[in-house]
Amino acid sequence: MLLPTAVIILVLLALVCTAWLKKATKVQSLLPPGPSPLPLIGNIHHITPGKFLVSLQKFQEKYGPVFTIYIGSKPTVVLCGYDLLKETLIDQKDAFSGRGKPFDPTFLFSCAVSNIICSIVFGKHYEYKDERFLTLLRNINGTLRFMNSSWGLIFYYFHGLLINVPGPHQQGVHCLTDLKSFVKERVKSSLKTLDVLSPRHFIDCFLIKMQQDKENPDTEFHMENLVSSTLNLFTAGTETVSTTLRYGCLVLLKYQDIQGKIQKEIDQVIGDKCPSAEDRFKMPYTEAVIHEIQRFSDIVPTGLPHRTTEETSVRGYVIPKDMDVLPLLTTVLKDPKYFPQPEMFSPERFLDDQGALKKGLAVLPFSAGRRQCPGEGLARMELFLFLTILLQKFTLTTPVSPEDLDLTPETSSAGHFPRYYKMSAIPRH
């Protein structure tokens, strides 16, 4: 059995090598000269281990200031010397300004936003390749998608019956369980090093308040609330902001004129300095765009469930105590009474005749009342800083024609997400 298998493998390798050599020969005829590559490994055998630069300098001596090497099967043209770099990077700057291919911003936005929450909640910042951090992001994403699914809604009402029953909901339960374990681990770690005179982060502050209220039987500061509050910060604080940013970038790719107006306001108000939260109050157009992104994206259309604490009445109807109530935020954000042509993206609806930001419009992406999102201030600041820093340094482009970009959301039972896209960030200066 081994001999026929080995023959098949050798034949396949020969076919792969033949195809690669045929393609490589065609490409090499157009490229600058260089050492002959081998199939699959390229010129790796020509490079002395630990002396990559020395190897390149030897190639320069042999082939001149411009030559080609292969890293694996991918060719790379190497440029040497001031004259050649001026001739290419300066005299032909447009042709040599590329950084690679358009990218999906989902992962980067999630990492950046989640790291802010990590810093606030337990004072730690993660590298984007840290495996525990990546697991945290996967569980946050899985938990939110579960909460915004039909199964999540069913589980909310029947969790007592379904918690031990096999089914699709168990994947969401698993993500949520892992998140809780992660938070409890961070709480345990914080308890070991807690200094009541010098709190370091949200968990420390909550633990100190727990100690102060330990004799109060009615206190809201207990371990269960610490875990649930931290989970809420992570799930809401990470996914909602990063999803809004992704939706915002998609809108700006479609409407390049809006992107240009934001950049003009950034240049006039901020210039080259780093944007700060205080700049928001001097940039009404940028704020209007952010308001409209939040209204238009409508990423949590159902809002989060509330519950009555006492019997009350609404327009003549009696609502008993402990009744679940679901405020449909989408009916506010897309209400034609307050937002004519609600399906149209128009930042101008938030500006008055003098170009100042209008006050009091019915924009409630963070809900309202006692259960209003506690992270609203942080989220608004994050959206402003991320957007202004990004557009101060880069112009967003996409290989797709703007009219072909689809702004209609991918919809789950209770959530709106931007459709998949890729973009490029072109340096402005």
Side-chain angles (χ1 to χ4, degrees):
M1 285 295 292
L2 289 177
L3 187 58
T5 303
V7 171
I8 292 172
I9 292 173
L10 287 173
V11 169
L12 289 174
L13 283 174
L15 290 173
V16 170
C17 290
T18 300
W20 184 87
L21 285 170
K22 184 176 179 181
K23 180 181 178 182
T25 301
K26 183 177 180 180
V27 172
Q28 286 172 19
S29 64
L30 302 174
L31 289 174
S36 299
L38 291 176
L40 304 181
I41 68 170
N43 294 120
I44 291 177
H45 62 298
H46 287 124
I47 297 172
T48 305
K51 296 184 178 180
F52 181 66
L53 181 58
V54 173
S55 300
L56 293 183
Q57 290 170 335
K58 288 182 178 179
F59 294 150
Q60 178 189 357
E61 293 172 4
K62 183 174 182 180
Y63 298 104
V66 54
F67 57 89
T68 303
I69 61 170
Y70 280 74
I71 308 299
S73 59
K74 185 175 179 62
T76 299
V77 175
V78 182
L79 308 174
C80 307
Y82 172 79
D83 290 340
L84 187 57
L85 266 63
K86 179 181 181 301
E87 180 184 328
T88 53
L89 303 187
I90 298 177
D91 296 343
Q92 301 183 60
K93 59 185 177 183
D94 290 336
F96 286 89
S97 63
R99 295 291 184 187
K101 298 178 180 179
F103 63 94
D104 174 6
T106 305
F107 174 72
L108 293 176
F109 281 150
S110 293
C111 286
V113 174
S114 185
N115 249 335
I116 291 173
I117 303 298
C118 287
S119 299
I120 292 171
V121 172
F122 46 77
K124 183 171 176 60
H125 184 277
Y126 288 95
E127 295 295 328
Y128 288 3
K129 294 183 179 179
D130 186 286
E131 190 53 45
R132 295 199 67 191
F133 184 54
L134 296 178
T135 300
L136 174 66
L137 289 180
R138 284 192 290 268
N139 285 329
I140 290 172
N141 183 267
T143 298
L144 194 70
R145 288 188 174 270
F146 170 59
M147 291 165 59
N148 285 340
S149 68
S150 299
W151 271 106
L153 193 63
I154 294 170
F155 186 79
Y156 175 79
Y157 288 104
F158 302 103
H159 60 275
L161 294 174
L162 296 175
I163 187 65
N164 295 313
V165 177
H169 61 287
Q170 289 297 342
Q171 180 60 40
V173 173
H174 176 73
C175 290
L176 186 58
T177 301
D178 278 0
L179 268 182
K180 285 186 176 179
S181 297
F182 178 81
V183 170
K184 289 177 180 177
E185 181 184 315
R186 298 306 307 179
V187 170
K188 187 182 296 184
S189 175
S190 295
L191 270 172
K192 291 179 181 178
T193 56
L194 179 65
D195 181 353
V196 295
L197 299 178
S198 182
R200 299 157 295 183
H201 40 66
F202 172 80
I203 290 177
D204 273 6
C205 293
F206 204 106
L207 289 171
I208 291 170
K209 189 63 178 174
M210 282 174 59
Q211 291 186 4
Q212 294 171 348
D213 280 15
K214 61 183 178 182
E215 302 300 329
N216 178 7
D218 299 321
T219 183
E220 296 291 334
F221 292 92
H222 48 76
M223 188 59 68
E224 183 181 347
N225 265 359
L226 172 54
V227 174
S228 62
S229 297
T230 304
L231 285 175
N232 287 339
L233 281 169
F234 270 116
T235 52
T238 294
E239 279 301 310
T240 55
V241 173
S242 62
T243 301
T244 303
L245 282 170
R246 282 195 292 128
Y247 226 129
C249 287
L250 178 59
V251 168
L252 296 179
L253 289 171
K254 187 172 183 68
Y255 300 117
Q256 292 284 324
D257 58 324
I258 295 177
Q259 183 177 172
K261 289 178 182 178
I262 295 176
Q263 289 176 324
K264 182 178 179 181
E265 191 171 61
I266 289 171
D267 294 343
Q268 290 174 342
V269 176
I270 301 175
D272 293 330
K273 71 179 180 69
C274 184
S276 66
E278 290 73 23
D279 293 322
R280 287 176 55 195
F281 307 107
K282 298 175 283 187
M283 301 176 65
Y285 185 78
T286 302
E287 277 289 278
V289 172
I290 292 173
H291 276 55
E292 181 68 344
I293 288 171
Q294 291 183 291
R295 185 203 70 81
F296 182 86
S297 60
D298 187 19
I299 61 173
V300 189
T302 61
L304 296 176
H306 289 226
R307 180 172 291 177
T308 55
T309 58
E310 58 186 33
E311 183 179 296
T312 186
S313 62
V314 175
R315 297 192 175 182
Y317 297 100
V318 176
I319 311 296
K321 181 182 178 182
D322 293 328
M323 173 66 65
D324 285 334
V325 179
L326 198 62
L328 293 183
L329 298 183
T330 191
T331 61
V332 177
L333 300 176
K334 299 295 175 67
D335 189 342
K337 176 181 176 182
Y338 295 96
F339 304 109
Q341 296 181 288
E343 301 305 322
M344 177 186 294
F345 188 89
S346 175
E348 285 72 21
R349 68 174 85 244
F350 290 99
L351 299 171
D352 62 20
D353 294 338
Q354 283 71 47
L357 198 66
K358 288 182 181 177
K359 303 293 183 182
L361 282 180
V363 187
L364 302 177
F366 299 97
S367 193
R370 290 281 183 88
R371 293 291 305 278
Q372 183 172 346
C373 175
E376 177 178 354
L378 174 63
R380 289 193 184 279
M381 182 176 66
E382 285 181 291
L383 290 171
F384 174 81
L385 291 177
F386 272 113
L387 197 64
T388 52
I389 291 172
L390 184 62
L391 294 182
Q392 181 189 51
K393 304 297 183 184
F394 302 97
T395 294
L396 309 183
T397 65
T398 176
V400 178
S401 177
E403 53 266 24
D404 292 333
L405 290 173
D406 188 356
L407 297 185
T408 58
E410 288 185 358
T411 307
S412 70
S413 64
H416 290 158
F417 301 93
R419 295 183 181 277
Y420 176 80
Y421 67 93
K422 286 187 175 183
M423 71 179 192
S424 295
I426 309 301
R428 293 185 62 205
H429 304 296

